[in-house]
């Protein structure tokens, strides 16, 4: 089922920083945007990220035991966490630190001392991108399930069903249609309706225009003429009554 933005779960931010002062500042600044979780060590932060799958990770570079570069490398090598956006933070005057952070897969870079307004805006914008991505994924998933439901329904009914695109190329055939025409959709792809659904006048045996082209051009329902015959690929003939 498709979920609107309002029905999606509350977003989560994971802060990994060994400074409790920095954590409290970020928590106070960003609490209106998402649920805030934090870790004071890189090792614990990795475990939390793997378990909770946050929407964004705010990661300090200068930490003891395992610094931010190592944590980022571990996150990006783990299939569970590799897609989580990372925002690096640092107070160290390290040349090319921002370029290095982006090269390692980070989406943004915030320097200390923090500017509350800038920090809030940067994180807010990234959370919006994450939310938009989730909405798109939910919509694609809903469309997939709807197409599967329709496919199963069409394959299970007792009538022949053939679908085409706007140019007359076949995009679907159910088993009844395959038996009647002698074609197999999965094997015989990229075929036009007139190649598969061979119609002719039952008296003159002259080819007839497939009604799908009338339906496409006139944008209306069009049926086969009562005196038409369907000649299958296996040379069976079906009359339209």
């Amino acid at each position: 089922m498709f979920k609107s933005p309002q029905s999606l779960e509350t977003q989560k931010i994971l802060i990994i920083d060994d400074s409790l002062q920095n954590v409290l500042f970020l928590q106070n600044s960003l609490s209106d945007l998402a649920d805030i979780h934090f870790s004071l060590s890189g090792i614990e932060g990795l475990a939390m990220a793997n378990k909770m799958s946050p929407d964004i990770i705010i990661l300090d570079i200068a930490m003891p035991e395992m610094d931010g570069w190592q944590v980022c490398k571990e996150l990006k090598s783990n299939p569970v966490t590799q897609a989580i956006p990372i925002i690096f933070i640092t107070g160290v005057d390290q040349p090319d630190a921002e370029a290095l952070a982006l090269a390692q897969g980070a989406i943004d870079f915030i320097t200390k001392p923090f500017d509350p307004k800038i920090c809030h805006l940067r994180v807010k914008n990234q959370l919006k991108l994450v939310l938009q991505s989730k909405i798109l994924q939910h919509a694609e998933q809903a469309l997939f399930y709807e197409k599967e439901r329709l496919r199963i329904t069409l394959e299970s009914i007792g009538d022949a069903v053939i679908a085409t695109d706007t140019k007359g190329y076949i995009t679907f055939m159910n088993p009844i249609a395959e038996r009647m025409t002698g074609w197999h959709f999965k094997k015989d792809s990229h075929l036009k309706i007139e190649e598969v659904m061979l119609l002719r006048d039952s008296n003159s045996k002259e080819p007839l225009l497939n009604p799908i082209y009338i339906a496409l051009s006139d944008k209306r329902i069009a049926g086969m003429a009562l005196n038409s015959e369907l000649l299958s690929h296996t040379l069976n003939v079906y009359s339209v009554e």
Side-chain angles (χ1 to χ4, degrees):
M1 179 182 294
F2 175 74
K3 294 183 179 181
S4 65
Q6 291 76 19
S7 63
L8 292 171
E9 294 181 355
T10 302
Q11 291 181 287
K12 297 173 289 186
I13 296 174
L14 173 60
I15 302 169
I16 305 176
D17 193 325
D18 64 311
S19 170
L20 183 58
Q21 182 180 357
N22 289 337
V23 169
L24 293 176
F25 173 85
L26 291 169
Q27 189 173 39
N28 183 62
S29 300
L30 307 174
S31 59
D32 65 316
L33 297 178
D35 289 339
I36 309 297
H37 305 261
F38 70 90
S39 169
L40 299 178
S41 76
I43 295 175
E44 182 188 43
L46 286 172
M48 290 181 65
N50 191 70
K51 182 178 180 179
M52 63 179 286
S53 295
D55 294 284
I56 283 180
I57 294 174
I58 299 178
L59 177 59
D60 188 24
I61 293 178
M63 295 188 294
E65 297 183 8
M66 178 180 281
D67 64 20
W69 304 124
Q70 293 173 298
V71 174
C72 181
K73 183 178 180 181
E74 291 293 327
L75 289 169
K76 292 304 179 183
S77 64
N78 183 351
V80 177
T81 58
Q82 63 183 2
I84 300 174
I86 297 173
I87 298 177
F88 269 117
I89 55 175
T90 185
V92 179
D93 186 13
Q94 180 179 343
D96 300 325
E98 184 171 1
L100 182 58
L102 296 174
Q104 291 207 3
I107 58 170
D108 210 340
F109 188 90
I110 300 175
T111 57
K112 305 173 190 175
F114 299 120
D115 180 319
K117 184 176 181 180
I118 296 299
C119 182
H120 187 275
L121 287 173
R122 285 180 181 272
V123 175
K124 181 180 180 180
N125 288 338
Q126 295 300 337
L127 284 172
K128 281 184 178 180
L129 293 176
V130 172
L131 180 59
Q132 289 170 358
S133 177
K134 282 188 175 183
I135 293 172
L136 180 60
Q137 289 175 5
H138 277 79
E140 290 175 343
Q141 186 180 54
L143 179 60
F144 171 79
Y145 285 132
E146 180 62 22
K147 289 175 68 176
E148 281 298 291
R149 185 190 67 79
L150 180 60
R151 179 186 64 81
I152 292 171
T153 300
L154 293 177
E155 288 188 350
S156 63
I157 65 177
D159 295 323
V161 178
I162 300 176
T164 74
D165 61 15
T166 56
K167 294 182 179 180
Y169 285 96
I170 292 177
T171 58
F172 173 82
M173 294 176 65
N174 72 349
I176 300 297
E178 289 182 329
R179 286 197 293 270
M180 288 185 66
T181 63
W183 294 92
H184 298 281
F185 176 66
K186 291 183 179 179
K187 294 181 181 179
D188 308 308
S189 58
H190 305 296
L191 293 173
K192 300 203 75 171
I193 186 67
E194 62 266 26
E195 298 177 81
V196 173
M197 194 174 173
L198 304 172
L199 297 177
R200 68 183 184 184
D201 186 283
S202 59
N203 297 319
S204 66
K205 308 304 180 185
E206 291 294 321
L208 294 174
L209 177 66
N210 196 289
I212 189 65
Y213 291 111
I214 300 174
L216 289 171
S217 63
D218 296 351
K219 294 180 173 52
R220 63 179 178 83
I221 297 174
M224 291 188 295
L226 294 180
N227 64 333
S228 62
E229 293 178 340
L230 171 64
L231 182 64
S232 78
H233 185 55
T234 55
L235 301 182
N236 294 321
V237 177
Y238 299 89
S239 298
V240 177
E241 299 179 356

Short mmCIF file of all heavy atoms in Angstrom, two decimals, residues 206-239:
data_model
loop_
_atom_site.label_atom_id
_atom_site.label_comp_id
_atom_site.label_asym_id
_atom_site.label_seq_id
_atom_site.Cartn_x
_atom_site.Cartn_y
_atom_site.Cartn_z
N GLU A 206 -9.85 -12.43 -46.56
CA GLU A 206 -8.97 -11.27 -46.63
C GLU A 206 -8.59 -10.81 -45.21
O GLU A 206 -9.40 -10.88 -44.29
CB GLU A 206 -9.67 -10.11 -47.36
CG GLU A 206 -9.88 -10.35 -48.85
CD GLU A 206 -8.56 -10.40 -49.60
OE1 GLU A 206 -7.66 -9.61 -49.27
OE2 GLU A 206 -8.44 -11.24 -50.52
N PRO A 207 -7.36 -10.32 -45.03
CA PRO A 207 -6.93 -9.84 -43.71
C PRO A 207 -7.80 -8.68 -43.25
O PRO A 207 -8.23 -7.84 -44.04
CB PRO A 207 -5.48 -9.40 -43.94
CG PRO A 207 -5.06 -10.11 -45.18
CD PRO A 207 -6.29 -10.24 -46.04
N LEU A 208 -8.04 -8.62 -41.95
CA LEU A 208 -8.82 -7.55 -41.36
C LEU A 208 -7.94 -6.70 -40.45
O LEU A 208 -6.98 -7.20 -39.85
CB LEU A 208 -9.98 -8.12 -40.53
CG LEU A 208 -11.07 -8.88 -41.30
CD1 LEU A 208 -12.06 -9.50 -40.32
CD2 LEU A 208 -11.79 -7.95 -42.27
N LEU A 209 -8.28 -5.41 -40.38
CA LEU A 209 -7.56 -4.52 -39.48
C LEU A 209 -7.86 -4.91 -38.05
O LEU A 209 -9.01 -5.10 -37.67
CB LEU A 209 -7.98 -3.06 -39.73
CG LEU A 209 -7.35 -2.01 -38.79
CD1 LEU A 209 -5.85 -1.90 -39.03
CD2 LEU A 209 -8.03 -0.65 -38.99
N ASN A 210 -6.81 -5.04 -37.24
CA ASN A 210 -7.02 -5.40 -35.85
C ASN A 210 -7.73 -4.26 -35.13
O ASN A 210 -7.33 -3.09 -35.26
CB ASN A 210 -5.69 -5.70 -35.17
CG ASN A 210 -5.87 -6.44 -33.86
OD1 ASN A 210 -6.33 -5.88 -32.89
ND2 ASN A 210 -5.52 -7.72 -33.87
N PRO A 211 -8.79 -4.56 -34.37
CA PRO A 211 -9.55 -3.50 -33.70
C PRO A 211 -8.74 -2.71 -32.67
O PRO A 211 -9.16 -1.63 -32.26
CB PRO A 211 -10.71 -4.26 -33.03
CG PRO A 211 -10.23 -5.67 -32.93
CD PRO A 211 -9.37 -5.90 -34.13
N ILE A 212 -7.60 -3.23 -32.25
CA ILE A 212 -6.79 -2.48 -31.28
C ILE A 212 -6.35 -1.15 -31.86
O ILE A 212 -6.26 -0.15 -31.16
CB ILE A 212 -5.55 -3.31 -30.83
CG1 ILE A 212 -4.85 -2.62 -29.66
CG2 ILE A 212 -4.58 -3.49 -31.98
CD1 ILE A 212 -5.66 -2.55 -28.41
N TYR A 213 -6.10 -1.11 -33.20
CA TYR A 213 -5.68 0.14 -33.82
C TYR A 213 -6.83 1.15 -33.88
O TYR A 213 -6.60 2.36 -33.80
CB TYR A 213 -5.13 -0.13 -35.22
CG TYR A 213 -3.82 -0.86 -35.19
CD1 TYR A 213 -3.72 -2.18 -35.62
CD2 TYR A 213 -2.66 -0.25 -34.70
CE1 TYR A 213 -2.51 -2.86 -35.57
CE2 TYR A 213 -1.45 -0.92 -34.64
CZ TYR A 213 -1.38 -2.23 -35.08
OH TYR A 213 -0.18 -2.91 -35.03
N ILE A 214 -8.05 0.65 -34.01
CA ILE A 214 -9.21 1.54 -33.97
C ILE A 214 -9.37 2.12 -32.56
O ILE A 214 -9.61 3.31 -32.37
CB ILE A 214 -10.49 0.78 -34.38
CG1 ILE A 214 -10.35 0.25 -35.81
CG2 ILE A 214 -11.72 1.68 -34.24
CD1 ILE A 214 -11.50 -0.64 -36.25
N ALA A 215 -9.19 1.25 -31.56
CA ALA A 215 -9.31 1.70 -30.17
C ALA A 215 -8.24 2.72 -29.83
O ALA A 215 -8.50 3.72 -29.14
CB ALA A 215 -9.20 0.49 -29.23
N LEU A 216 -7.02 2.50 -30.34
CA LEU A 216 -5.92 3.43 -30.05
C LEU A 216 -6.11 4.78 -30.75
O LEU A 216 -5.87 5.83 -30.16
CB LEU A 216 -4.59 2.82 -30.48
CG LEU A 216 -4.07 1.64 -29.63
CD1 LEU A 216 -2.86 1.00 -30.30
CD2 LEU A 216 -3.71 2.11 -28.23
N SER A 217 -6.55 4.74 -32.01
CA SER A 217 -6.69 5.99 -32.76
C SER A 217 -7.92 6.78 -32.36
O SER A 217 -7.88 8.02 -32.26
CB SER A 217 -6.74 5.69 -34.27
OG SER A 217 -7.88 4.90 -34.57
N ASP A 218 -9.03 6.07 -32.10
CA ASP A 218 -10.28 6.76 -31.76
C ASP A 218 -10.50 6.89 -30.26
O ASP A 218 -11.47 7.53 -29.83
CB ASP A 218 -11.47 6.01 -32.37
CG ASP A 218 -11.43 6.01 -33.89
OD1 ASP A 218 -10.58 6.73 -34.45
OD2 ASP A 218 -12.22 5.27 -34.51
N LYS A 219 -9.63 6.24 -29.47
CA LYS A 219 -9.75 6.27 -28.01
C LYS A 219 -11.14 5.83 -27.55
O LYS A 219 -11.84 6.51 -26.78
CB LYS A 219 -9.41 7.66 -27.46
CG LYS A 219 -7.97 8.06 -27.67
CD LYS A 219 -7.68 9.44 -27.12
CE LYS A 219 -6.20 9.78 -27.18
NZ LYS A 219 -5.59 9.59 -28.52
N ARG A 220 -11.56 4.66 -28.06
CA ARG A 220 -12.85 4.09 -27.68
C ARG A 220 -12.77 2.57 -27.73
O ARG A 220 -11.79 2.00 -28.23
CB ARG A 220 -13.94 4.56 -28.65
CG ARG A 220 -13.75 4.12 -30.09
CD ARG A 220 -14.87 4.59 -30.98
NE ARG A 220 -14.71 4.21 -32.37
CZ ARG A 220 -15.06 3.02 -32.88
NH1 ARG A 220 -15.62 2.09 -32.09
NH2 ARG A 220 -14.88 2.77 -34.16
N ILE A 221 -13.78 1.93 -27.18
CA ILE A 221 -13.84 0.48 -27.22
C ILE A 221 -14.18 0.03 -28.64
O ILE A 221 -15.10 0.56 -29.27
CB ILE A 221 -14.89 -0.06 -26.24
CG1 ILE A 221 -14.49 0.31 -24.80
CG2 ILE A 221 -15.05 -1.57 -26.37
CD1 ILE A 221 -15.54 -0.06 -23.77
N ALA A 222 -13.43 -0.94 -29.14
CA ALA A 222 -13.68 -1.46 -30.49
C ALA A 222 -13.64 -2.98 -30.44
O ALA A 222 -12.71 -3.57 -29.88
CB ALA A 222 -12.64 -0.93 -31.47
N GLY A 223 -14.66 -3.61 -31.01
CA GLY A 223 -14.72 -5.07 -31.03
C GLY A 223 -14.44 -5.62 -32.42
O GLY A 223 -14.42 -4.88 -33.41
N MET A 224 -14.21 -6.93 -32.47
CA MET A 224 -13.98 -7.57 -33.77
C MET A 224 -15.31 -7.74 -34.52
O MET A 224 -16.37 -7.90 -33.91
CB MET A 224 -13.32 -8.94 -33.56
CG MET A 224 -11.90 -8.87 -33.05
SD MET A 224 -11.06 -10.49 -33.04
CE MET A 224 -12.03 -11.37 -31.82
N ALA A 225 -15.23 -7.68 -35.83
CA ALA A 225 -16.41 -7.87 -36.66
C ALA A 225 -16.93 -9.30 -36.48
O ALA A 225 -16.15 -10.23 -36.23
CB ALA A 225 -16.08 -7.62 -38.12
N LEU A 226 -18.25 -9.48 -36.60
CA LEU A 226 -18.85 -10.79 -36.37
C LEU A 226 -18.44 -11.81 -37.43
O LEU A 226 -18.53 -13.01 -37.20
CB LEU A 226 -20.38 -10.66 -36.33
CG LEU A 226 -20.93 -9.87 -35.15
CD1 LEU A 226 -22.45 -9.81 -35.22
CD2 LEU A 226 -20.50 -10.51 -33.83
N ASN A 227 -17.99 -11.36 -38.57
CA ASN A 227 -17.60 -12.30 -39.62
C ASN A 227 -16.09 -12.50 -39.68
O ASN A 227 -15.54 -12.89 -40.71
CB ASN A 227 -18.11 -11.80 -40.98
CG ASN A 227 -17.46 -10.48 -41.37
OD1 ASN A 227 -17.07 -9.72 -40.50
ND2 ASN A 227 -17.34 -10.23 -42.68
N SER A 228 -15.42 -12.24 -38.58
CA SER A 228 -13.97 -12.38 -38.57
C SER A 228 -13.53 -13.71 -37.99
O SER A 228 -14.27 -14.35 -37.23
CB SER A 228 -13.32 -11.23 -37.77
OG SER A 228 -13.74 -11.28 -36.42
N GLU A 229 -12.35 -14.14 -38.40
CA GLU A 229 -11.75 -15.37 -37.90
C GLU A 229 -10.36 -15.05 -37.34
O GLU A 229 -9.66 -14.17 -37.84
CB GLU A 229 -11.59 -16.41 -39.01
CG GLU A 229 -12.89 -16.97 -39.56
CD GLU A 229 -12.65 -17.96 -40.69
OE1 GLU A 229 -11.54 -17.93 -41.29
OE2 GLU A 229 -13.56 -18.76 -40.97
N LEU A 230 -10.00 -15.79 -36.31
CA LEU A 230 -8.66 -15.69 -35.75
C LEU A 230 -7.86 -16.90 -36.20
O LEU A 230 -8.23 -18.04 -35.91
CB LEU A 230 -8.71 -15.63 -34.21
CG LEU A 230 -7.35 -15.74 -33.50
CD1 LEU A 230 -6.46 -14.55 -33.85
CD2 LEU A 230 -7.54 -15.84 -31.99
N LEU A 231 -6.80 -16.65 -36.95
CA LEU A 231 -5.93 -17.72 -37.42
C LEU A 231 -4.74 -17.80 -36.48
O LEU A 231 -3.95 -16.87 -36.39
CB LEU A 231 -5.46 -17.44 -38.85
CG LEU A 231 -4.56 -18.51 -39.49
CD1 LEU A 231 -5.31 -19.82 -39.64
CD2 LEU A 231 -4.06 -18.02 -40.84
N SER A 232 -4.61 -18.90 -35.77
CA SER A 232 -3.54 -19.01 -34.78
C SER A 232 -2.23 -19.39 -35.45
O SER A 232 -2.19 -19.84 -36.61
CB SER A 232 -3.89 -20.04 -33.70
OG SER A 232 -3.70 -21.36 -34.19
N HIS A 233 -1.16 -19.24 -34.71
CA HIS A 233 0.18 -19.59 -35.19
C HIS A 233 0.29 -21.08 -35.48
O HIS A 233 1.10 -21.51 -36.29
CB HIS A 233 1.20 -19.19 -34.12
CG HIS A 233 2.62 -19.38 -34.54
ND1 HIS A 233 3.14 -18.83 -35.69
CD2 HIS A 233 3.63 -20.08 -33.96
CE1 HIS A 233 4.44 -19.16 -35.80
NE2 HIS A 233 4.74 -19.92 -34.77
N THR A 234 -0.57 -21.88 -34.82
CA THR A 234 -0.56 -23.32 -35.01
C THR A 234 -1.58 -23.75 -36.07
O THR A 234 -1.91 -24.93 -36.19
CB THR A 234 -0.88 -24.04 -33.69
OG1 THR A 234 -2.12 -23.55 -33.17
CG2 THR A 234 0.23 -23.81 -32.68
N LEU A 235 -2.09 -22.76 -36.83
CA LEU A 235 -3.02 -22.97 -37.94
C LEU A 235 -4.41 -23.40 -37.51
O LEU A 235 -5.20 -23.88 -38.32
CB LEU A 235 -2.45 -24.02 -38.94
CG LEU A 235 -1.09 -23.64 -39.57
CD1 LEU A 235 -0.68 -24.72 -40.55
CD2 LEU A 235 -1.20 -22.29 -40.27
N ASN A 236 -4.75 -23.23 -36.24
CA ASN A 236 -6.12 -23.42 -35.81
C ASN A 236 -6.92 -22.17 -36.14
O ASN A 236 -6.39 -21.06 -36.13
CB ASN A 236 -6.18 -23.66 -34.29
CG ASN A 236 -5.54 -24.98 -33.89
OD1 ASN A 236 -5.68 -25.98 -34.60
ND2 ASN A 236 -4.82 -24.97 -32.78
N VAL A 237 -8.20 -22.33 -36.47
CA VAL A 237 -9.05 -21.22 -36.84
C VAL A 237 -10.16 -21.08 -35.82
O VAL A 237 -10.85 -22.05 -35.49
CB VAL A 237 -9.65 -21.40 -38.26
CG1 VAL A 237 -10.60 -20.25 -38.58
CG2 VAL A 237 -8.54 -21.50 -39.30
N TYR A 238 -10.33 -19.84 -35.28
CA TYR A 238 -11.41 -19.59 -34.33
C TYR A 238 -12.32 -18.54 -34.93
O TYR A 238 -11.88 -17.47 -35.34
CB TYR A 238 -10.83 -19.07 -33.00
CG TYR A 238 -9.89 -20.04 -32.32
CD1 TYR A 238 -8.52 -20.02 -32.63
CD2 TYR A 238 -10.36 -20.97 -31.40
CE1 TYR A 238 -7.66 -20.91 -32.01
CE2 TYR A 238 -9.48 -21.86 -30.77
CZ TYR A 238 -8.14 -21.82 -31.08
OH TYR A 238 -7.28 -22.71 -30.49
N SER A 239 -13.61 -18.84 -34.98
CA SER A 239 -14.59 -17.90 -35.52
C SER A 239 -15.14 -17.04 -34.40
O SER A 239 -15.34 -17.50 -33.27
CB SER A 239 -15.75 -18.65 -36.20
OG SER A 239 -15.25 -19.40 -37.30
#
